[in-house]
Amino acid sequence: MNSGLEDVIAAQTVLSDVDGKNGRLIVRGRSLDELVSRSRYEDVLALLFGGFFAEADDLTRALGQARVAVFAHVAAADSALLALPPVDAMRALLARLGDGEDRDTALQLVAGPAVFTTALLRLRAGQAPLAPDASLTHAADTLRMLHGALPSPQQTAALDRYLVTVADHGLNASTFAARVVASTKAGLASSVLAALSALKGPLHGGAPGPVLDMLDGVGTPANARAWLEAALDGGDRLMGFGHRVYRVRDPRADALKGAVRLLASSGAIDPKRLALAEAVEAAALAVLRERKPERALDTNVEFYTALLLEALGFPRDAFTCVFAMGRTGGWIAHAREQAETGRLIRPMSVYIGPQPQQAA
Ligand code: ACO
């Protein structure tokens, strides 16, 4: 029995393929390279939703209107919610959206993480939440709702690249959770909430915040190796490295490293920060190779995510919320696919507990 279900095939999908041996990701017939080079998040959303929902004449506008519609729920953010970690507070607001299977429900669930996260972060900082602007793209409006000013084209392009890169990724833990819930026909909101709950763990989408903690702990490039070795000696895992499926470098790491370099060249990232990250990455790969020669452990998506989202002004405890902004599109498409073509997911367990005492 593989308790992590590795090598178990639990679904057929037309949505994405993760080729772990060759380090390739395909989303509906497009390679990741092709997608990130010329797509906005809305383009990937259209690709993922194709055939599962009625096509929108103007998806950018429809998603913008969905942001406007869900903004009403921001009023429910009270002091108890603001005391929670952003991902938990955002999940609570998202839970206010009812279940349904139609395109409007789907778009509101995609809009929710961006609208709720930015509003919660502003409220936490003592600022008034900003209402969405339906005429902007999702990435541009998200950054505007966060900072109160229109982002530069480079900042918008960087967030688009991030959202596109993480939009879908095979049967990862959160997507599997979405499909399990969808298989019971519970509805899209229930699937998304289950997936978000799986995403927040540090072994999945909760890693990029700790990546920055690691960079802060290391401090200087010269200290990288000693710090990382001490962390491993203490039994820690190095955040941003290793993957269940990839046996080579996660292609998303390079897609995001490219975006980080672009931001650095426009002055949005301190070159010293980038140099520190590159030194930590090189030292981590070397140390992991020495310590785990039998298991190829390489950089995963979360490492450069951390630098990218930091440069865009998201606080590190909200990074998982930004991951959810992108991945919600994938979760919803998988949930629809499961509900339309799959069966109730109901695996078996092996009972290893005690047997009842025989009656005397
Ligand atoms: N640092 C140190 N050791 C590691 C790391 C790491 N990042 N990743 C794996 N290992 C070790 C494991 O401890 C294990 O050692 P052992 O056999 O002595 O116990 C060995 O390498 C093999 O581990 P795997 O079976 O390949 O790991 P698994 O598939 O269970 O875990 C995971 C994959 C959870 C991503 C793991 O690599 C990890 O914890 N990474 C750090 C957290 C992280 O970056 N998460 C984000 C992943 S990307 C995403 O979900 C979006």
Side-chain angles (χ1 to χ4, degrees):
M1 188 193 84
N2 287 330
S3 60
L5 300 188
E6 47 268 58
D7 303 327
V8 173
I9 295 171
Q12 282 192 318
T13 182
V14 298
L15 292 165
S16 60
D17 182 38
V18 180
D19 177 349
K21 282 201 190 85
N22 298 303
R24 286 192 330 150
L25 169 61
I26 295 170
V27 178
R28 288 204 120 169
R30 314 274 170 92
S31 72
L32 178 65
D33 287 349
E34 187 186 343
L35 283 178
V36 294
S37 62
R38 51 192 169 88
S39 303
R40 295 170 314 149
Y41 183 59
E42 284 84 345
D43 301 325
V44 176
L45 202 57
L47 202 58
L48 289 169
F49 280 10
F52 295 113
F53 298 102
E55 224 174 278
D57 291 338
D58 180 350
L59 188 64
T60 303
R61 185 93 200 158
L63 183 54
Q65 283 160 348
R67 287 194 302 277
V68 172
V70 303
F71 184 71
H73 294 286
V74 167
D78 57 13
S79 57
L81 273 197
L82 290 176
L84 293 174
V87 68
D88 295 340
M90 186 269 274
R91 181 178 57 188
L93 290 182
L94 207 55
R96 294 174 59 86
L97 306 181
D99 267 318
E101 296 287 346
D102 57 314
R103 191 187 66 205
D104 285 353
T105 303
L107 289 179
Q108 291 195 10
L109 287 165
V110 174
V115 172
F116 300 148
T117 303
T118 52
L120 288 161
L121 293 176
R122 286 183 70 86
L123 284 166
R124 189 173 72 170
Q127 297 166 319
L130 291 173
D133 178 344
S135 70
L136 294 175
T137 66
H138 196 57
D141 201 24
T142 300
L143 290 170
R144 187 196 61 81
M145 288 188 288
L146 180 67
H147 295 304
L150 277 179
S152 69
Q154 290 88 346
Q155 289 168 322
T156 302
L159 184 58
D160 260 323
R161 179 177 278 228
Y162 174 72
L163 297 174
V164 166
T165 299
V166 302
D168 198 39
H169 199 243
L171 203 57
N172 56 83
S174 56
T175 301
F176 185 49
R179 289 190 79 122
V180 169
V181 173
S183 83
T184 72
K185 314 270 189 220
L188 291 174
S190 297
S191 282
V192 167
L193 289 163
L196 180 59
S197 303
L199 183 76
K200 70 173 249 190
L203 299 191
H204 189 10
V211 167
L212 288 189
D213 299 339
M214 177 171 71
L215 295 186
D216 291 348
V218 170
T220 62
N223 190 35
R225 193 178 174 94
W227 193 96
L228 296 169
E229 285 183 332
L232 289 173
D233 288 343
D236 291 344
R237 288 188 174 199
L238 304 184
M239 292 292 134
F241 298 92
H243 196 272
R244 176 58 64 81
V245 180
Y246 290 119
R247 290 297 175 264
V248 292
R249 196 174 170 81
D250 182 338
R252 300 168 301 171
D254 283 330
L256 297 181
K257 189 172 186 175
V260 163
R261 287 215 168 117
L262 282 179
L263 280 177
S265 66
S266 73
I269 294 183
D270 180 357
K272 278 197 193 141
R273 190 82 167 143
L274 182 55
L276 173 64
E278 289 181 337
V280 169
E281 184 188 18
L285 294 178
V287 173
L288 287 171
R289 219 166 283 135
E290 287 163 23
R291 300 258 179 139
K292 300 270 172 209
E294 72 296 344
R295 174 71 172 89
L297 295 170
D298 213 319
T299 316
N300 66 43
V301 64
E302 303 289 41
F303 191 77
Y304 284 101
T305 289
L307 251 68
L308 185 79
L309 298 187
E310 180 183 51
L312 292 176
F314 289 98
R316 64 186 73 178
D317 66 351
F319 286 177
T320 310
C321 300
V322 192
F323 195 156
M325 289 177 201
R327 186 55 62 83
T328 313
W331 290 334
I332 290 169
H334 276 272
R336 285 297 311 142
E337 185 180 51
Q338 181 68 38
E340 283 177 16
T341 64
R343 300 179 68 218
L344 173 70
I345 295 175
R346 202 301 185 194
M348 301 286 284
S349 51
V350 177
Y351 179 67
I352 57 167
Q355 294 297 328
Q357 297 291 323
Q358 291 284 44

